[in-house]
Amino acid sequence: MNYELPLSVEEVENYFKEKLEDDVNDFKTEEIKKGLKETGIELIWFTVKRERFRDAVKALAELQTPHLSVASGSDMGENIELIYHFQINYGYPGKEISINMKVHLPKEDLNIPSITDIVPGALTTEREKQEFLGVNVTNIPDSRRLWLEDDFPKDKYPWRWDHEGMEEMSKYVHSEDDETFDKPIAKYPRKKEIEKKKNRQDTMEEEKKKEDGEPDE
Amino acid sequence: MSREKDTTYEVPIGPIHPALKEPFLIKFKLKGEEIVDAEPFPGMNHRGIEFMGMHRNPMEVIPLSERICGICSIVHQHMFTTATEHALSIEPTNRARYIRTIMCELERIHSHILWAGVAAHEIGFDTHLHFTWKIREKVMDLLEYIAGNRVNYSMWTFGGVRRDITEEMYPKIFETLEYYENLYEKLEEIFLEDPSIKLRTRGVGVLTKKDALELCGVGPTVRASGVKKDVRIDQPYAAYGDLDLDYVIPSRYGFENKGDVFCKTVVRLKELLQSVDIIKKCVEQMPEGEITSEPKKAALLNKLGKSAGEGIGRIEAPRGEAIHYVRLSEERDDVDCWKIRASTYNNLSTYAPMFMGEQIADIPLIAASIDPCIGCMDRAEIIDINRGEVQSYTKEELHELSVKKTKQITKGGVE
């Protein structure tokens, strides 16, 4: 099948399915209507297997010089999720589609291949992911730190929620219970915070039940 | 002979740079006067705002997001709000969309005028600096009149805006727009027709179209090279979809898409005029109705705490495309993941090809050309690797060098 720009969301979906078959899944397409004329914003999300990630970017590069907005990443507990936010169809008014490629990396093996040979502009964001999430970008041309100070601990990563995160480092800086600080910077520990919310919801539910259960007088 | 071959100098410039999200340092490798390599080192003032945001609830993050940047505070507020709205499927009202567009464009006007002043200062035209900063006051006054603040406007909320633009404000808005329309010719005369400015900006700091595309550059920096990238047109947000806009690239106005500093000036000046048009259209077309779809704060907070989802907010900031990614989870009140990407983040990588083959005296101008606001470039050092000597350049000395070059080119005609 021939793919000519500008592509529609369905075409983008089919294109990746054709090129990568079973290695791409969890497709989700969105269209948000905006304004009086109801012009739409179109987005597409999908997950790609790490082994085929480079192939996916190469496939994208065959359509148009890829515009990588940024790669965002977060700690999901057992794995780390990286989302590469690409844009396609730029230069066609109102037709641009955001392609969000998700890659899941298990915590035991945090390697992801570099895409700087396909998208030279990706270097900044790859270096950032290395220092903030502890991901190892293989074959990266420049693996130095970009944002963090040289004296920042080598085994701590600010966006991680586990023992490699900043919990130990920052919990004594502004304690939640210390009233001398007017506003705590970090509400730690995270587990405590989750418990707190759960407790609050439970009590709210109990109160609701009580209210509902009370007979009318 | 071998000594001659190896004589490269390293010139670090920076790192104080408060107009950016981060002050930064650029290290230059020189062969005599010629720049052979340039490498930016950001991160001198990384404040960990993303980390801070991940420990606050979305409502608390709105005022925090404004403070990412001193110039484009609306931009970050808009992106965070729209990303969260996307995540929670909140629809802003149509009136709010128009008010947002007006505010975004007012900010673009003041940012571009500020840039023009800084660029003129770097070449040595301080008269122009004072002139542009004087006319910038008018739009700052208007922003203060509408929002109540000169810099951090606190206008955005989930589902809309917090302050309305009422009919009694229209005369003042139109008066300001007229002021800029009348001034525009003068600005064009200063920046596009002045022979000395042309000499300093034409053919300097060239970014080719190929480099611009491959390095994922954004905004006026790449549009000057003829790349059609503009989020307002490509993927219209707010009320931009209702307006018929066209890409501002130099070839539309009879110039070549060279990608040099001159072309970047053309793009920024023409965008100024485009912004004036957009605001006019918006004020004329503004629909009636509520300014926010979520007027009840308590209900909104409850909703924010309960929902989960992920969303993206994209915007064409004065300096180019910027993006926020927000994820909210059910188990925590706070934002679970927040990624901020400002325009200069992408444009940093365009520095290397732009500086290649240029002279030391052009450093301030080219560095300013991507609009990172070089105003506070602090000091520079020249290290002769072979001799181990350290030569220091202060910001003033480097500026002096730039001014000297202008004088040389124009044979002392500028003062």
Side-chain angles (χ1 to χ4, degrees), chain A residues 200-212:
Chain A
R200 200 179 68 214
Q201 277 173 349
D202 289 346
T203 43
M204 269 166 73
E205 269 170 32
E206 271 173 32
E207 276 172 20
K208 214 179 171 188
K209 267 182 200 168
K210 257 187 201 171
E211 274 176 26
D212 292 344

Side-chain angles (χ1 to χ4, degrees), chain A residues 9 28-35 37-45 94 96 98 100, chain B residues 82-92 97 235-238 241 310-314:
Chain A
V9 188
K28 187 177 95 180
T29 53
E30 282 178 280
E31 193 181 1
I32 312 160
K33 299 273 185 201
K34 292 199 173 184
K37 283 190 189 166
E38 302 222 317
T39 44
I41 285 185
E42 288 174 317
L43 303 108
I44 180 162
W45 307 74
E96 195 171 46
S98 300
N100 307 295
Chain B
T82 42
T84 315
E85 279 166 1
H86 179 197
L88 305 184
S89 317
I90 297 173
E91 278 283 309
R97 285 201 169 108
Q235 204 180 54
Y237 53 92
E310 56 188 346
I312 287 174
R314 275 177 88 217

Side-chain angles (χ1 to χ4, degrees), chain B residues 199-200 359 361 401-414:
Chain B
L199 274 172
R200 278 307 301 276
Q359 295 183 333
L401 213 62
S402 180
V403 175
K404 222 167 109 189
K405 188 178 172 184
T406 311
K407 280 184 184 163
Q408 264 175 8
I409 287 177
T410 57
K411 287 173 190 139
V414 188

Side-chain angles (χ1 to χ4, degrees), chain B residues 98-255:
Chain B
Y98 274 79
I99 295 173
R100 284 177 178 187
T101 312
I102 292 171
M103 291 301 282
C104 287
E105 289 306 316
L106 284 175
E107 197 180 65
R108 194 182 313 278
I109 292 178
H110 101 67
S111 176
H112 281 354
I113 294 178
L114 187 147
W115 175 81
V118 172
H121 168 70
E122 296 302 350
I123 314 174
F125 288 83
D126 275 358
T127 332
H128 297 344
L129 166 78
H130 293 295
F131 171 68
T132 48
W133 284 50
K134 182 197 130 202
I135 63 171
R136 176 174 166 259
E137 277 308 302
K138 196 89 178 170
V139 69
M140 298 296 277
D141 287 347
L142 181 63
L143 279 165
E144 188 185 355
Y145 177 69
I146 295 172
N149 296 316
R150 259 174 69 91
V151 180
N152 292 325
Y153 311 100
S154 301
M155 280 276 280
W156 266 242
T157 180
F158 300 117
V161 287
R162 292 174 59 228
R163 282 167 190 267
D164 199 1
I165 295 181
T166 53
E167 248 173 64
E168 58 204 39
M169 289 178 178
Y170 291 0
K172 181 136 187 181
I173 294 174
F174 282 123
E175 187 204 316
T176 313
L177 297 181
E178 211 176 302
Y179 176 77
Y180 285 113
E181 270 177 338
N182 295 338
L183 265 173
Y184 181 74
E185 267 181 35
K186 195 173 178 186
L187 275 173
E188 204 166 68
E189 200 187 313
I190 291 173
F191 287 99
L192 304 184
E193 279 157 35
D194 187 290
S196 334
I197 291 193
K198 267 192 194 170
L199 274 172
R200 278 307 301 276
T201 54
R202 282 210 157 163
V204 174
V206 175
L207 180 69
T208 59
K209 193 173 178 179
K210 187 174 166 278
D211 280 338
L213 279 169
E214 280 182 353
L215 294 169
C216 302
V218 291
T221 311
V222 300
R223 280 201 289 277
S225 313
V227 176
K228 287 182 176 178
K229 270 185 196 173
D230 188 333
V231 189
R232 293 178 293 171
I233 303 160
D234 288 332
Q235 204 180 54
Y237 53 92
Y240 288 106
D242 298 355
L243 317 159
D244 293 321
L245 301 177
D246 203 351
Y247 301 95
V248 179
I249 52 173
S251 60
R252 245 182 86 194
Y253 305 96
F255 299 98

